Amino acid sequence: MGASAESGAATPPRLGVIVVAAYALPQFSQSLIHGPVGGIIQGIYAREFGLPLAAIATVLLIAGIADAFLNPLVGYASDRHRQSGGSRKPWIFAGTLLCMAASWFLFVPSPPVTATYFLVWLLLAYLGWALVEVPHAAWMPEITRQYDERTRLATWRAVCAYLGVTTFMALPYLPFLPSATFTAESLRWTAIVALIALPAFALAALLLVPAGFAANPGGTAGPRLEWRGVLRNRPLRVFAVAFLLYQLAPGVLNGVLFFYIVTHLGQEKLLAGLLLMTVVAGMASVPAWGWLCRKIGKHRAWAVACVMGAVLIPCFALVPPGPQGTVPLIIIQLGVVISFAIFPVAAPAVLADVIDYARLRYGADYGGSYFAIYNVFYKSLANVGAAAALGAIGMAGFDARTASQPEAATTALLIVFCGIPALLLALAVPLIWRFPIDARRQGIIARRLASRDASNARPIIR
């Protein structure tokens, strides 16, 4: 019996495939334009446009700090707009227009390129992303209150996200480009594809997906009540601790992955192909994780994935250096990436249930604020994990400039890469497995919200 069967009373019909797909499509274009900023664009600005590394580092630091403020501000403002009877759609529309302009000028700069130019368009890109991504994520629990339907929406959204990343990584292999590497020309084609995908997919979502029921008119709370809705929400606190432990793990792994593969294993030629292979594998596994979430509950499926990762990651320590380690490295890396592929399916859907709990208990819609905090910590925890990992191996004497490392440095690398992420995942398992909102409890919350909203006779907003 699936998790949905536990929710009790009769539920509304399933969302149509067109509605689900239309909701998910904007995530493709957002992931596509995020691809270069993840680590490619700074290299192109330095190598092909002559921007000094110090200037690039300053720009990235300023933009990162600004992003940490932009997401919560957009979340708060979109929540207030919704509580007054509006919808998430105008925010997505405005953000899409800004993303189109910022992506073009950021990815196709006209020389001479200055640090100021880079900073201005990167900041505008971050603002555009926040205007789209925070309301788009907060929109999910407003489209449906059904436990399994939210998992379905999150599954399609995750597949579109992987497709966007895969498209960006595959663009350098276009036959008419001079080389299969990331260059200014491949960045230009990313911008061209984005100018087509951004408006097309945003319009599909805005026209085909219902805006959702208006927020409870009693839910216009002041800042003090809003903070109480955040700090005193027990399911949110459990989610936050589990999220912290879980998200630090891939941060640590990715922080030293390059040095593990290139320096320790001597497999530099394998790195690019391995990364592309694992992105495809992660995307292919998303529907299976979505099925398991519906079968046993999304929090328990997430816990199973944590156990899978905690078991597989220490196996990296058994991979022998050199060509003889190629096959086991690929097998273990594929398994680890597949274990992490559940995150964009389970985590947003679980948070959607937490948002419903907050609405029921505190009478206010915190969807935008919750997902804004989610976005900030999703990015920052990965960076914190990577920084901590690099600092740890550096203190042990690891030197990235040399191929031969002291025994203590190699030991530290293996402990950090193979031990710390597994421990973090293991610590997260009991929190996620015993998460307080399961399908049955979410069904009770949904029915009470439906009854309260029906008594208010608020129409569906457009």
Side-chain angles (χ1 to χ4, degrees):
M1 182 179 294
S4 59
E6 301 175 0
S7 43
T11 55
R14 280 163 54 92
L15 296 170
V17 172
I18 292 177
V19 172
V20 176
Y23 168 75
L25 280 173
Q27 194 61 34
F28 169 91
S29 43
Q30 289 298 308
S31 295
L32 172 71
I33 59 178
H34 271 300
V37 180
I40 303 299
I41 195 169
Q42 50 263 49
I44 294 176
Y45 266 69
R47 184 183 62 197
E48 302 197 26
F49 301 119
L51 209 60
L53 292 179
I56 293 175
T58 302
V59 168
L60 294 178
L61 176 62
I62 295 173
I65 294 172
D67 188 48
F69 287 95
L70 287 173
N71 280 270
L73 286 174
V74 170
Y76 176 81
S78 66
D79 282 346
R80 304 299 291 179
H81 174 73
R82 176 159 171 74
Q83 289 164 8
S84 67
S87 77
R88 309 288 180 182
K89 291 186 177 185
W91 298 84
I92 296 172
F93 178 77
T96 298
L97 295 179
L98 183 55
C99 283
M100 291 171 64
S103 296
W104 179 260
F105 287 102
L106 185 63
F107 298 161
V108 193
S110 300
V113 179
T114 64
T116 301
Y117 178 97
F118 185 29
L119 176 62
V120 168
W121 289 110
L122 186 58
L123 287 173
L124 289 173
Y126 274 124
L127 176 59
W129 295 336
L131 288 170
V132 174
E133 292 176 350
V134 172
H136 185 256
W139 192 8
M140 181 174 61
E142 299 161 5
I143 296 170
T144 177
R145 293 195 180 102
Q146 290 181 257
Y147 186 85
D148 285 343
E149 286 298 272
R150 288 174 173 177
T151 302
R152 190 163 160 243
L153 286 170
T155 301
W156 280 67
R157 190 170 180 262
V159 169
C160 286
Y162 272 107
L163 283 171
V165 174
T166 304
T167 299
F168 166 71
M169 296 183 70
L171 281 174
Y173 294 94
L174 289 173
F176 51 80
L177 292 182
S179 66
T181 58
F182 293 111
T183 63
E185 186 63 17
S186 67
L187 205 59
R188 177 174 175 272
W189 277 98
T190 302
I192 292 172
V193 175
L195 286 182
I196 298 171
L198 281 165
F201 294 160
L203 284 174
L206 298 178
L207 295 176
L208 299 175
V209 183
F213 288 96
N216 180 11
T220 54
R224 183 176 178 182
L225 181 57
E226 294 197 7
W227 276 110
R228 189 180 72 177
V230 172
L231 299 176
R232 296 179 63 183
N233 186 331
R234 178 175 173 268
L236 179 65
R237 294 199 305 268
V238 175
F239 178 87
V241 175
F243 183 88
L244 183 148
L245 293 170
Y246 181 88
Q247 194 58 24
L248 282 173
V252 172
L253 274 175
N254 292 331
V256 295
L257 175 67
F258 180 89
F259 304 112
Y260 169 77
I261 293 177
V262 174
T263 306
H264 177 64
L265 298 183
Q267 293 271 35
E268 182 174 4
K269 294 182 179 179
L270 183 65
L271 182 59
L274 180 65
L275 294 179
L276 181 57
M277 188 188 311
T278 53
V279 168
V280 174
M283 177 178 64
S285 68
V286 164
W289 284 124
W291 173 85
L292 188 63
C293 286
R294 294 189 295 273
K295 193 72 175 176
I296 67 174
K298 50 204 173 197
H299 63 293
R300 290 185 174 173
W302 189 5
V304 168
C306 287
V307 172
M308 178 179 171
V311 170
L312 285 175
I313 290 171
C315 296
F316 279 121
L318 305 177
V319 178
Q324 63 268 34
T326 299
V327 173
L329 172 63
I330 292 174
I331 293 173
I332 298 170
Q333 176 70 4
L334 287 174
V336 170
V337 168
I338 288 172
S339 74
F340 281 118
I342 193 173
F343 179 79
V345 177
V350 169
L351 185 56
D353 298 336
V354 175
I355 291 168
D356 273 358
Y357 174 84
R359 280 194 63 207
L360 182 64
R361 179 165 183 179
Y362 301 108
D365 189 340
Y366 302 107
S369 298
Y370 279 23
F371 273 107
I373 296 171
Y374 172 98
N375 279 359
V376 170
F377 279 92
Y378 175 76
K379 300 170 187 175
S380 62
L381 286 174
N383 293 334
V384 168
L390 291 172
I393 65 172
M395 290 175 63
F398 188 92
D399 188 350
R401 298 168 297 180
T402 62
S404 179
Q405 302 294 329
E407 183 178 350
T410 299
T411 301
L413 174 66
L414 293 177
I415 291 174
V416 169
F417 186 73
C418 307
I420 301 301
L423 176 62
L424 290 167
L425 292 176
L427 292 173
V429 168
L431 292 170
I432 297 173
W433 181 266
R434 296 199 299 264
F435 189 73
I437 303 178
D438 57 10
R440 182 185 65 82
R441 289 173 178 169
Q442 190 277 334
I444 295 171
I445 293 169
R447 287 192 295 274
R448 290 179 179 176
L449 282 173
S451 176
R452 189 177 70 185
D453 289 350
S455 68
N456 292 324
R458 295 291 295 270
I460 294 179
I461 52 182
R462 296 295 179 186

